[in-house]
Amino acid sequence: GYHELIDIGVNLTHGRFDVDREAVIQRAMDAGVARMVLTGVTLTESSEALEMASSHTGVMAATAGVHPHHASEWTAQSTEALTALLAHPNAVAVGETGLDIAAIFHRDQHN
C-alpha cells in the first residue's frame, strides 16, 4: 500500500535555498513528501522555520533549538527565547540539540 512520506530533517531556512525555496518544496511534494519538519539550528533559524511552517499549514512543522556548533551564541536570554519558540503552535520538538553524538564525532574528528 501507499505510505505517506514525512521528511523530518529539512533545513529550508539555510540561505542556499533563498533562490528556489518554493520550487524545492514543490519538488518534494511532487515526489510524495506529504509533511516536512523544518530543523532549527540557531534561535534565529528556529524562528524562521516556525514562521515558514506557519505559511505552509498542514504541510510543515518545525523544531526549535541550537546546534552545538552555535553554542557560543547562547546568552542569558537564550533559555527564555527558546522556551517562547517552543510554545509556538507549529513547534513539534526540541532540536537541534547536539545529542547525535556519532554524527558530531564523525564531523569533528575527520575534518
Side-chain angles (χ1 to χ4, degrees), residues 28-41:
M29 293 173 67
D30 291 347
V33 177
R35 300 241 327 136
M36 301 173 202
V37 179
L38 308 180
T39 305
V41 296

Side-chain angles (χ1 to χ4, degrees), residues 11 13-14 39-46 49 63-71 73 95-96:
N11 291 305
T13 58
H14 193 280
T39 305
V41 296
T42 66
L43 292 175
T44 299
E45 286 191 29
S46 295
T63 68
V66 176
H67 189 280
H69 293 161
H70 298 279
E73 300 169 18
E96 290 269 357

